[in-house]
Amino acid sequence: MSIFLLPFAAPALTLAGALLGFLTPHRPSRMLLIVIEALALSALAVALGSAALLIGSGPGTATLIESSGIGLSARLDIVSAAMLMLVAFIGWVVVRYCRLETQA
């Protein structure tokens, strides 16, 4: 298993938070909103960890699924690390704002 699969964890955490929110049939509780925000913050931590991995190991590619030369892979380079950090940060800000608005 390649260490360059780490960037896949950030969208997985964000997706888990989105599923928690969508599966709630009524207005989410305060505790659920805290859990969703923690997942978004964890995605930001994974993005920062991916940048640290890039600094330590250099750019690389990890293949998740491949068949006949077609598949799903993660490429970690300076552009993808910057985009991952930017998207994770904006995602956390949006979730934080929604949590503050819901509590008001």
Side-chain angles (χ1 to χ4, degrees):
M1 186 122 134
S2 176
I3 59 173
F4 290 106
L5 289 174
L6 179 65
F8 278 120
L13 289 168
T14 306
L15 183 62
L19 286 174
L20 280 175
F22 281 125
L23 292 177
T24 305
H26 49 79
R27 186 177 176 146
S29 66
R30 183 170 190 246
M31 188 58 160
L32 182 62
L33 292 173
I34 291 172
V35 169
I36 292 171
E37 184 181 354
L39 286 170
L41 197 56
S42 298
L44 181 58
V46 166
L48 293 172
S50 295
L53 176 66
L54 175 65
I55 291 169
S57 299
T61 304
T63 303
L64 184 63
I65 302 168
E66 182 180 6
S67 176
S68 302
I70 299 173
L72 179 64
S73 64
R75 171 94 179 135
L76 185 61
D77 55 11
I78 189 68
V79 175
S80 61
M83 287 299 291
L84 184 62
M85 287 188 299
L86 177 69
V87 169
F89 177 73
I90 290 174
W92 172 71
V93 168
V94 168
V95 169
R96 176 77 177 163
Y97 179 76
C98 289
R99 187 181 132 204
L100 292 175
E101 282 296 311
T102 304
Q103 289 178 357

Short mmCIF file of all heavy atoms in Angstrom, two decimals, residues 47-94:
data_model
loop_
_atom_site.label_atom_id
_atom_site.label_comp_id
_atom_site.label_asym_id
_atom_site.label_seq_id
_atom_site.Cartn_x
_atom_site.Cartn_y
_atom_site.Cartn_z
N ALA A 47 -5.10 17.06 4.51
CA ALA A 47 -4.54 17.87 3.43
C ALA A 47 -3.17 18.43 3.85
O ALA A 47 -2.22 18.44 3.05
CB ALA A 47 -5.49 19.00 3.06
N LEU A 48 -3.07 18.90 5.08
CA LEU A 48 -1.78 19.40 5.57
C LEU A 48 -0.76 18.26 5.68
O LEU A 48 0.42 18.44 5.39
CB LEU A 48 -1.96 20.10 6.91
CG LEU A 48 -2.76 21.41 6.86
CD1 LEU A 48 -3.04 21.91 8.27
CD2 LEU A 48 -2.03 22.45 6.05
N GLY A 49 -1.24 17.09 6.09
CA GLY A 49 -0.36 15.92 6.13
C GLY A 49 0.12 15.51 4.74
O GLY A 49 1.27 15.08 4.58
N SER A 50 -0.73 15.67 3.75
CA SER A 50 -0.34 15.37 2.37
C SER A 50 0.74 16.35 1.90
O SER A 50 1.67 15.95 1.20
CB SER A 50 -1.55 15.45 1.44
OG SER A 50 -2.48 14.45 1.76
N ALA A 51 0.61 17.61 2.31
CA ALA A 51 1.64 18.59 1.96
C ALA A 51 2.96 18.24 2.66
O ALA A 51 4.04 18.36 2.05
CB ALA A 51 1.18 19.99 2.34
N ALA A 52 2.88 17.79 3.90
CA ALA A 52 4.10 17.38 4.60
C ALA A 52 4.72 16.15 3.93
O ALA A 52 5.95 16.05 3.83
CB ALA A 52 3.78 17.09 6.06
N LEU A 53 3.88 15.24 3.47
CA LEU A 53 4.36 14.07 2.74
C LEU A 53 5.06 14.49 1.46
O LEU A 53 6.11 13.94 1.10
CB LEU A 53 3.20 13.13 2.43
CG LEU A 53 3.50 11.91 1.58
CD1 LEU A 53 4.41 10.96 2.34
CD2 LEU A 53 2.21 11.21 1.19
N LEU A 54 4.50 15.46 0.78
CA LEU A 54 5.12 15.97 -0.45
C LEU A 54 6.48 16.58 -0.16
O LEU A 54 7.45 16.35 -0.89
CB LEU A 54 4.20 17.01 -1.10
CG LEU A 54 4.75 17.73 -2.32
CD1 LEU A 54 4.96 16.74 -3.47
CD2 LEU A 54 3.81 18.83 -2.75
N ILE A 55 6.57 17.34 0.93
CA ILE A 55 7.85 17.96 1.29
C ILE A 55 8.88 16.88 1.65
O ILE A 55 10.04 16.96 1.26
CB ILE A 55 7.65 18.95 2.45
CG1 ILE A 55 6.85 20.16 1.97
CG2 ILE A 55 8.99 19.40 3.03
CD1 ILE A 55 6.37 21.07 3.09
N GLY A 56 8.43 15.86 2.37
CA GLY A 56 9.35 14.82 2.81
C GLY A 56 9.75 13.82 1.75
O GLY A 56 10.90 13.39 1.68
N SER A 57 8.81 13.43 0.90
CA SER A 57 9.06 12.35 -0.06
C SER A 57 9.16 12.80 -1.50
O SER A 57 9.57 12.02 -2.36
CB SER A 57 7.95 11.30 0.04
OG SER A 57 7.92 10.74 1.32
N GLY A 58 8.72 14.00 -1.79
CA GLY A 58 8.69 14.46 -3.18
C GLY A 58 7.42 13.99 -3.87
O GLY A 58 6.61 13.27 -3.28
N PRO A 59 7.21 14.40 -5.10
CA PRO A 59 5.99 14.04 -5.82
C PRO A 59 5.94 12.54 -6.10
O PRO A 59 6.96 11.86 -6.19
CB PRO A 59 6.06 14.84 -7.11
CG PRO A 59 7.47 15.24 -7.26
CD PRO A 59 8.09 15.25 -5.90
N GLY A 60 4.70 12.03 -6.21
CA GLY A 60 4.53 10.61 -6.49
C GLY A 60 3.12 10.29 -6.91
O GLY A 60 2.21 11.12 -6.80
N THR A 61 2.92 9.09 -7.38
CA THR A 61 1.62 8.62 -7.84
C THR A 61 1.31 7.28 -7.19
O THR A 61 2.18 6.43 -7.08
CB THR A 61 1.60 8.45 -9.37
OG1 THR A 61 1.97 9.69 -9.98
CG2 THR A 61 0.24 8.05 -9.88
N ALA A 62 0.06 7.11 -6.78
CA ALA A 62 -0.40 5.83 -6.23
C ALA A 62 -1.65 5.41 -6.99
O ALA A 62 -2.59 6.19 -7.14
CB ALA A 62 -0.72 5.97 -4.75
N THR A 63 -1.66 4.19 -7.47
CA THR A 63 -2.80 3.67 -8.20
C THR A 63 -3.73 2.97 -7.23
O THR A 63 -3.31 2.11 -6.46
CB THR A 63 -2.34 2.69 -9.29
OG1 THR A 63 -1.42 3.36 -10.15
CG2 THR A 63 -3.51 2.20 -10.10
N LEU A 64 -5.01 3.35 -7.27
CA LEU A 64 -6.01 2.72 -6.41
C LEU A 64 -6.66 1.54 -7.14
O LEU A 64 -6.72 0.44 -6.63
CB LEU A 64 -7.07 3.74 -5.99
CG LEU A 64 -8.12 3.25 -5.02
CD1 LEU A 64 -7.48 2.84 -3.70
CD2 LEU A 64 -9.16 4.32 -4.77
N ILE A 65 -7.14 1.80 -8.36
CA ILE A 65 -7.80 0.77 -9.17
C ILE A 65 -7.22 0.88 -10.58
O ILE A 65 -7.14 1.98 -11.13
CB ILE A 65 -9.33 0.99 -9.23
CG1 ILE A 65 -9.93 0.99 -7.83
CG2 ILE A 65 -9.99 -0.06 -10.10
CD1 ILE A 65 -11.36 1.47 -7.79
N GLU A 66 -6.86 -0.25 -11.17
CA GLU A 66 -6.34 -0.20 -12.53
C GLU A 66 -6.73 -1.48 -13.27
O GLU A 66 -6.66 -2.58 -12.72
CB GLU A 66 -4.83 -0.06 -12.54
CG GLU A 66 -4.27 0.05 -13.94
CD GLU A 66 -2.76 0.21 -13.95
OE1 GLU A 66 -2.13 0.13 -12.90
OE2 GLU A 66 -2.24 0.39 -15.05
N SER A 67 -7.17 -1.29 -14.51
CA SER A 67 -7.49 -2.42 -15.36
C SER A 67 -7.24 -2.02 -16.80
O SER A 67 -7.83 -1.06 -17.30
CB SER A 67 -8.96 -2.83 -15.17
OG SER A 67 -9.29 -3.85 -16.07
N SER A 68 -6.37 -2.71 -17.47
CA SER A 68 -6.02 -2.46 -18.87
C SER A 68 -5.54 -1.04 -19.11
O SER A 68 -5.88 -0.40 -20.10
CB SER A 68 -7.22 -2.75 -19.77
OG SER A 68 -7.66 -4.08 -19.60
N GLY A 69 -4.78 -0.51 -18.18
CA GLY A 69 -4.24 0.83 -18.35
C GLY A 69 -5.20 1.95 -18.00
O GLY A 69 -4.84 3.12 -18.10
N ILE A 70 -6.41 1.63 -17.60
CA ILE A 70 -7.40 2.64 -17.21
C ILE A 70 -7.69 2.44 -15.73
O ILE A 70 -7.88 1.31 -15.28
CB ILE A 70 -8.70 2.49 -18.02
CG1 ILE A 70 -8.42 2.67 -19.50
CG2 ILE A 70 -9.74 3.49 -17.55
CD1 ILE A 70 -9.60 2.36 -20.39
N GLY A 71 -7.73 3.53 -14.98
CA GLY A 71 -8.00 3.36 -13.56
C GLY A 71 -8.10 4.66 -12.81
O GLY A 71 -8.21 5.73 -13.39
N LEU A 72 -8.04 4.54 -11.51
CA LEU A 72 -8.13 5.67 -10.60
C LEU A 72 -6.83 5.73 -9.82
O LEU A 72 -6.43 4.76 -9.19
CB LEU A 72 -9.32 5.48 -9.64
CG LEU A 72 -9.55 6.55 -8.61
CD1 LEU A 72 -9.90 7.88 -9.28
CD2 LEU A 72 -10.66 6.15 -7.67
N SER A 73 -6.17 6.88 -9.89
CA SER A 73 -4.92 7.04 -9.18
C SER A 73 -4.87 8.42 -8.53
O SER A 73 -5.63 9.31 -8.89
CB SER A 73 -3.73 6.86 -10.12
OG SER A 73 -3.72 7.87 -11.09
N ALA A 74 -3.99 8.56 -7.58
CA ALA A 74 -3.78 9.84 -6.90
C ALA A 74 -2.37 10.32 -7.22
O ALA A 74 -1.40 9.60 -7.00
CB ALA A 74 -3.95 9.69 -5.40
N ARG A 75 -2.26 11.51 -7.74
CA ARG A 75 -0.97 12.11 -8.02
C ARG A 75 -0.77 13.22 -7.01
O ARG A 75 -1.60 14.12 -6.88
CB ARG A 75 -0.94 12.67 -9.44
CG ARG A 75 0.25 13.50 -9.76
CD ARG A 75 1.35 12.69 -10.40
NE ARG A 75 2.48 13.57 -10.71
CZ ARG A 75 3.71 13.24 -10.43
NH1 ARG A 75 3.98 12.08 -9.90
NH2 ARG A 75 4.68 14.06 -10.71
N LEU A 76 0.30 13.14 -6.27
CA LEU A 76 0.61 14.16 -5.27
C LEU A 76 1.79 14.98 -5.77
O LEU A 76 2.92 14.49 -5.85
CB LEU A 76 0.92 13.52 -3.92
CG LEU A 76 1.14 14.47 -2.76
CD1 LEU A 76 -0.11 15.30 -2.50
CD2 LEU A 76 1.52 13.71 -1.50
N ASP A 77 1.51 16.21 -6.15
CA ASP A 77 2.54 17.15 -6.54
C ASP A 77 2.17 18.51 -5.94
O ASP A 77 1.21 18.62 -5.18
CB ASP A 77 2.72 17.21 -8.06
CG ASP A 77 1.44 17.54 -8.80
OD1 ASP A 77 0.44 17.91 -8.16
OD2 ASP A 77 1.42 17.42 -10.04
N ILE A 78 2.91 19.54 -6.27
CA ILE A 78 2.70 20.84 -5.63
C ILE A 78 1.32 21.42 -5.96
O ILE A 78 0.66 22.01 -5.10
CB ILE A 78 3.84 21.83 -5.99
CG1 ILE A 78 3.76 23.11 -5.16
CG2 ILE A 78 3.83 22.17 -7.46
CD1 ILE A 78 4.04 22.91 -3.71
N VAL A 79 0.86 21.23 -7.18
CA VAL A 79 -0.45 21.77 -7.57
C VAL A 79 -1.58 21.02 -6.87
O VAL A 79 -2.51 21.63 -6.32
CB VAL A 79 -0.63 21.72 -9.11
CG1 VAL A 79 -2.02 22.16 -9.51
CG2 VAL A 79 0.42 22.59 -9.78
N SER A 80 -1.51 19.69 -6.86
CA SER A 80 -2.59 18.92 -6.22
C SER A 80 -2.60 19.14 -4.71
O SER A 80 -3.67 19.19 -4.10
CB SER A 80 -2.46 17.44 -6.56
OG SER A 80 -1.24 16.91 -6.08
N ALA A 81 -1.42 19.28 -4.09
CA ALA A 81 -1.38 19.54 -2.65
C ALA A 81 -1.97 20.92 -2.33
O ALA A 81 -2.73 21.06 -1.37
CB ALA A 81 0.05 19.44 -2.14
N ALA A 82 -1.66 21.92 -3.14
CA ALA A 82 -2.21 23.25 -2.91
C ALA A 82 -3.73 23.26 -3.10
O ALA A 82 -4.46 23.86 -2.30
CB ALA A 82 -1.56 24.26 -3.86
N MET A 83 -4.21 22.58 -4.13
CA MET A 83 -5.66 22.52 -4.36
C MET A 83 -6.36 21.74 -3.25
O MET A 83 -7.44 22.13 -2.80
CB MET A 83 -5.95 21.85 -5.71
CG MET A 83 -5.62 22.73 -6.90
SD MET A 83 -6.57 24.25 -6.92
CE MET A 83 -8.17 23.61 -7.27
N LEU A 84 -5.77 20.66 -2.78
CA LEU A 84 -6.36 19.87 -1.72
C LEU A 84 -6.46 20.70 -0.43
O LEU A 84 -7.50 20.69 0.24
CB LEU A 84 -5.52 18.61 -1.48
CG LEU A 84 -6.05 17.62 -0.45
CD1 LEU A 84 -7.42 17.08 -0.87
CD2 LEU A 84 -5.07 16.48 -0.25
N MET A 85 -5.41 21.45 -0.10
CA MET A 85 -5.46 22.30 1.09
C MET A 85 -6.48 23.41 0.94
O MET A 85 -7.23 23.72 1.88
CB MET A 85 -4.08 22.89 1.38
CG MET A 85 -3.10 21.88 1.92
SD MET A 85 -1.55 22.59 2.49
CE MET A 85 -0.91 23.33 1.01
N LEU A 86 -6.56 24.01 -0.24
CA LEU A 86 -7.52 25.09 -0.48
C LEU A 86 -8.96 24.59 -0.36
O LEU A 86 -9.78 25.19 0.33
CB LEU A 86 -7.28 25.71 -1.86
CG LEU A 86 -8.25 26.80 -2.28
CD1 LEU A 86 -8.02 28.04 -1.43
CD2 LEU A 86 -8.07 27.13 -3.75
N VAL A 87 -9.26 23.48 -1.00
CA VAL A 87 -10.62 22.95 -0.97
C VAL A 87 -11.00 22.47 0.43
O VAL A 87 -12.11 22.71 0.90
CB VAL A 87 -10.78 21.82 -2.01
CG1 VAL A 87 -12.07 21.06 -1.84
CG2 VAL A 87 -10.67 22.39 -3.42
N ALA A 88 -10.06 21.84 1.14
CA ALA A 88 -10.34 21.38 2.50
C ALA A 88 -10.56 22.57 3.44
O ALA A 88 -11.46 22.53 4.29
CB ALA A 88 -9.20 20.51 3.00
N PHE A 89 -9.79 23.62 3.27
CA PHE A 89 -9.96 24.80 4.12
C PHE A 89 -11.30 25.47 3.86
O PHE A 89 -12.04 25.80 4.80
CB PHE A 89 -8.81 25.80 3.90
CG PHE A 89 -8.98 27.06 4.69
CD1 PHE A 89 -8.78 27.05 6.06
CD2 PHE A 89 -9.34 28.23 4.07
CE1 PHE A 89 -8.94 28.21 6.81
CE2 PHE A 89 -9.51 29.40 4.81
CZ PHE A 89 -9.30 29.38 6.18
N ILE A 90 -11.65 25.66 2.60
CA ILE A 90 -12.93 26.29 2.27
C ILE A 90 -14.08 25.41 2.74
O ILE A 90 -15.09 25.90 3.24
CB ILE A 90 -13.01 26.60 0.76
CG1 ILE A 90 -12.03 27.72 0.42
CG2 ILE A 90 -14.43 26.99 0.35
CD1 ILE A 90 -11.91 28.03 -1.03
N GLY A 91 -13.93 24.10 2.61
CA GLY A 91 -14.96 23.18 3.10
C GLY A 91 -15.16 23.31 4.60
O GLY A 91 -16.28 23.34 5.09
N TRP A 92 -14.06 23.41 5.35
CA TRP A 92 -14.17 23.58 6.80
C TRP A 92 -14.83 24.91 7.15
O TRP A 92 -15.67 24.98 8.04
CB TRP A 92 -12.80 23.47 7.45
CG TRP A 92 -12.85 23.83 8.90
CD1 TRP A 92 -13.42 23.10 9.90
CD2 TRP A 92 -12.35 25.02 9.50
NE1 TRP A 92 -13.29 23.78 11.10
CE2 TRP A 92 -12.64 24.96 10.88
CE3 TRP A 92 -11.69 26.14 9.01
CZ2 TRP A 92 -12.28 25.96 11.76
CZ3 TRP A 92 -11.32 27.13 9.89
CH2 TRP A 92 -11.63 27.04 11.25
N VAL A 93 -14.48 25.97 6.43
CA VAL A 93 -15.08 27.29 6.68
C VAL A 93 -16.59 27.25 6.43
O VAL A 93 -17.37 27.78 7.22
CB VAL A 93 -14.40 28.39 5.82
CG1 VAL A 93 -15.19 29.68 5.84
CG2 VAL A 93 -12.98 28.63 6.30
N VAL A 94 -17.01 26.60 5.36
CA VAL A 94 -18.44 26.50 5.05
C VAL A 94 -19.18 25.70 6.13
O VAL A 94 -20.24 26.11 6.60
CB VAL A 94 -18.65 25.86 3.66
CG1 VAL A 94 -20.09 25.48 3.43
CG2 VAL A 94 -18.17 26.82 2.58
#
